[in-house]
Amino acid sequence: MKTLFMLLLFCHVASTVKHSLKYVLTATSGVTNIPEFVGLVMVDEVQLGYCDSNSKTAEPKQDWVRDLAKENPKHMEWYVQKCSSSQQVFRADIDGLKQRLNQTGGAHILQRMNGCEWDDETGEVIGFHQFGYDGEDFIVLDLQTLTWTAPRQQAFSTKLRWDADKARLEYEKYYYTHTCPVWLKEYVHYGRSFLQRTDLPSVSLLQKTPSSPVSCHATGFYPDRAMMYWRKDGEEHHEDLDHGEILPNHDGSFQISVDLILSSVAPEDWRRYDCVFHLSGVEDDIVTKLDKAQIRTNWVSPSEFPAGVTGVVVGLLLLPALCIAGLFIWRRNNNGE
């Protein structure tokens, strides 16, 4: 099992030279409290730009992207125009899909993700362009055959129509094999101090209650090519674990957690466990011993409250729920329900 882990780790490290540029566009119908259209630009899973149908403009999300926009105003103008035109196209597309699928009401979501990946060691470029509708793949471009594939039967007529548009297919091929990689390389070069940095995380042991799993939580690391696992007696442990996904933080860094379920761990065996965080490209791992004294928790036993305090605490705990209930009633009244 240790050999398998090292193989997986090697494969993960081997992918560190790959960079990606992704455009994620989302249109909604029948969904309240969010814009009808949202567009994101991502490089190496870091959000660079944002636009939506409410703001009607493109907004840089990183300081170095703002500097790039100042040096090249036409670059930002292109995004502003693209945001505006995409809103109109997506609004028409989602209305057309609802008619074709006989959907007269309800909430519906149309998404497009396109872009490219570039391996700066081998020079390999991979392009991608796909649509999803209501959480399922709808139609996907195959750049090898220059044809569209339709995972859903409802998209077959679209596939036939788009396959017949040879000029568009040739444009797609050129864009994803030439234009997109050029833009990606420019972003990676211009933002290299940010995108190619290495930040180690802070690692904590967290627990909700004494009977809850102990979560080994790392946050603030960059890049996202990281692994975290529990060890027992120095060997990787695979039982009674709950592995979390790597998630983005608002500042462009990442976080991950792995929970260890303690129900099968005797108190005297705690000292045999530790949590290991490995960041690709960094030689030394961060090792955190399973130590009760190091666990952070907000839980307090009711018996530890001074007399008269319990009622106050219960009231404070109920307050958010009451506020939410009040907000719900207020919305209902203002909607005339």
Side-chain angles (χ1 to χ4, degrees):
M1 188 61 70
K2 187 69 174 178
T3 303
L4 175 60
F5 169 73
M6 293 306 296
L7 178 60
L8 292 174
L9 182 59
F10 173 78
C11 293
H12 200 71
V13 171
S15 66
T16 58
V17 294
K18 288 187 178 179
H19 302 280
S20 64
L21 170 60
K22 295 179 183 178
Y23 299 94
V24 183
L25 307 181
T26 303
T28 62
S29 175
V31 181
T32 58
N33 301 325
I34 64 172
E36 292 183 348
F37 176 86
V38 173
L40 302 177
V41 184
M42 313 281 290
V43 170
D44 292 353
E45 305 304 324
V46 174
Q47 184 179 336
L48 301 192
Y50 172 90
C51 76
D52 63 42
S53 52
N54 292 344
S55 61
K56 295 181 172 54
T57 188
E59 176 187 354
K61 286 297 185 178
Q62 305 294 335
D63 289 339
W64 65 268
V65 181
R66 295 184 182 93
D67 294 338
L68 177 60
K70 292 178 181 178
E71 291 185 13
N72 189 353
K74 290 185 178 180
H75 195 83
M76 185 56 60
E77 290 175 8
W78 183 87
Y79 276 113
V80 173
Q81 295 171 1
K82 203 68 176 176
C83 180
S84 177
S85 62
S86 295
Q87 292 180 41
Q88 301 172 23
V89 171
F90 268 62
R91 187 178 298 112
D93 286 345
I94 200 169
D95 289 342
L97 279 172
K98 288 169 58 180
Q99 291 181 1
R100 186 192 308 177
L101 302 177
N102 294 320
Q103 297 171 332
T104 56
H108 302 283
I109 300 175
L110 173 65
Q111 289 186 300
R112 186 187 83 186
M113 184 175 71
N114 63 302
C116 58
E117 293 182 349
W118 163 58
D119 190 318
D120 67 5
E121 186 174 89
T122 66
E124 181 185 17
V125 171
I126 300 175
F128 50 90
H129 190 171
Q130 58 198 68
F131 289 83
Y133 186 64
D134 287 350
E136 297 181 3
D137 288 341
F138 190 76
I139 191 167
V140 181
L141 176 62
D142 185 339
L143 283 169
Q144 299 298 319
T145 62
L146 272 189
T147 59
W148 292 87
T149 59
R152 292 178 61 174
Q153 182 63 32
Q154 295 92 333
F156 191 71
S157 60
T158 302
K159 165 191 162 52
L160 295 178
R161 188 169 69 254
W162 288 3
D163 280 350
D165 192 344
K166 302 301 182 184
R168 176 182 174 179
L169 287 171
E170 288 298 329
Y171 169 80
E172 299 269 8
K173 179 180 179 180
Y174 183 84
Y175 177 81
Y176 292 113
T177 57
H178 292 86
T179 307
C180 182
V182 168
W183 284 46
L184 173 55
K185 292 173 185 178
E186 180 180 358
Y187 290 140
V188 171
H189 175 74
Y190 199 94
R192 60 189 179 277
S193 61
F194 179 87
L195 296 172
Q196 298 180 3
R197 74 191 192 278
T198 298
D199 292 340
L200 292 175
S202 61
V203 180
S204 305
L205 297 179
L206 309 175
Q207 190 178 34
K208 293 181 180 179
T209 70
S211 60
S212 301
V214 171
S215 177
C216 186
H217 180 75
T219 185
F221 62 89
Y222 187 91
D224 65 340
R225 295 179 286 272
M227 300 188 77
M228 177 179 275
Y229 58 98
W230 282 93
R231 292 189 311 195
K232 179 181 179 182
D233 297 330
E235 297 291 331
E236 186 185 359
H237 183 67
H238 298 278
E239 299 176 358
D240 301 317
L241 297 180
D242 185 8
H243 288 270
E245 297 180 358
I246 294 179
L247 302 174
N249 291 322
H250 71 280
D251 61 357
S253 65
F254 297 91
Q255 61 174 293
I256 187 175
S257 62
V258 181
D259 294 353
L260 174 64
I261 300 173
L262 293 174
S263 57
S264 59
V265 180
E268 61 270 19
D269 290 336
W270 276 40
R271 59 183 178 79
R272 302 169 61 186
Y273 291 84
D274 54 38
C275 172
V276 181
F277 174 88
H278 175 84
L279 185 63
S280 178
V282 177
E283 183 176 351
D284 295 329
D285 296 335
I286 299 177
V287 179
T288 306
K289 290 286 185 181
L290 180 57
D291 184 349
K292 194 177 188 67
Q294 300 301 318
I295 295 177
R296 299 166 59 184
T297 180
N298 291 327
W299 185 84
V300 179
S301 171
S303 62
E304 298 179 21
F305 285 120
V309 173
T310 303
V312 176
V313 173
V314 171
L316 290 174
L317 291 175
L318 288 175
L319 183 59
L322 293 174
C323 291
I324 293 173
L327 179 61
F328 177 73
I329 295 172
W330 180 86
R331 284 179 175 171
R332 288 188 60 184
N333 290 337
N334 278 272
N335 289 333
E337 298 179 359

